Amino acid sequence: MKEVSALAVAVILAAWLVWNLWNLFPIAIGLRNGSWRRAMWWTRLCSVSLCAAFASWVRGVFGGGLNVRETCLFVHHEHYDEKYRDSHAEEFRRIFPLHNKCHAQYDLVPAWVNPTIVICALISLTAIAVLLRFGTTHLTRLRRRENQP
């Protein structure tokens, strides 16, 4: 049953990725032809930014690989400080901001990951606010039409 669930999640994420890659073109075209004034453009923007945030987060989570010690020593050629990692273990288990340090000065999570997540989240929140505005405007217009004789 776990295999079926994992496969279903993988298929859904793959479909979401393909949909977001396809949406990059309509978003770019919408900036030129004025379709950014429509709700679907903002829906696409929200989905693409959430996908980019999720991809950045996954990149940050798996930045250290499965064996952090070997990744530090053999891939990045950095000293692995076990005492430092033990004393800061809670920091490395947090969902956000992401850190996975070999020692106090070297982080395996790229510097661009956390700012990208924040920027994408802000874009998504802005898109959601605009979509709510579209919805309330539509409902207000419907009520006005119903109340007119």
Side-chain angles (χ1 to χ4, degrees):
M1 190 66 179
K2 287 183 183 180
E3 294 84 9
V4 173
S5 299
L7 181 62
V9 169
V11 167
I12 290 169
L13 288 176
W16 188 39
L17 176 66
V18 169
W19 191 73
N20 284 307
L21 289 174
W22 178 80
N23 279 328
L24 290 174
F25 183 71
I27 288 173
I29 296 298
L31 288 172
R32 290 189 339 192
N33 69 9
S35 67
W36 61 269
R37 295 181 189 107
R38 297 188 181 137
M40 189 61 187
W41 189 88
W42 289 96
T43 304
R44 288 178 172 146
L45 181 67
C46 183
S47 179
V48 168
S49 65
L50 284 174
C51 187
F54 179 71
S56 299
W57 182 81
V58 168
R59 169 62 177 97
V61 167
F62 294 112
L66 296 176
N67 189 332
V68 177
R69 182 182 175 281
E70 289 182 5
T71 303
C72 290
L73 293 174
F74 302 125
V75 176
H76 297 279
H77 308 291
E78 291 288 333
H79 170 71
Y80 179 76
D81 188 356
E82 192 169 342
K83 289 180 183 177
Y84 177 82
R85 288 197 51 92
D86 290 341
S87 64
H88 294 86
E90 282 299 316
E91 180 180 345
F92 305 134
R93 291 188 193 115
R94 283 191 287 181
I95 294 175
F96 185 80
L98 298 172
H99 294 290
N100 197 359
K101 295 184 176 187
C102 295
H103 50 79
Q105 286 80 33
Y106 193 80
D107 197 350
L108 294 173
V109 176
W112 58 268
V113 169
N114 289 321
T116 301
I117 293 170
V118 170
I119 289 169
C120 289
L122 290 175
I123 290 170
S124 296
L125 289 174
T126 302
I128 290 169
V130 170
L131 286 168
L132 288 172
R133 176 74 173 140
F134 277 122
T136 56
T137 303
H138 180 70
L139 289 175
T140 305
R141 287 181 185 163
L142 284 177
R143 286 187 187 152
R144 285 183 190 161
R145 287 182 193 159
E146 291 175 356
N147 292 336
Q148 289 180 351

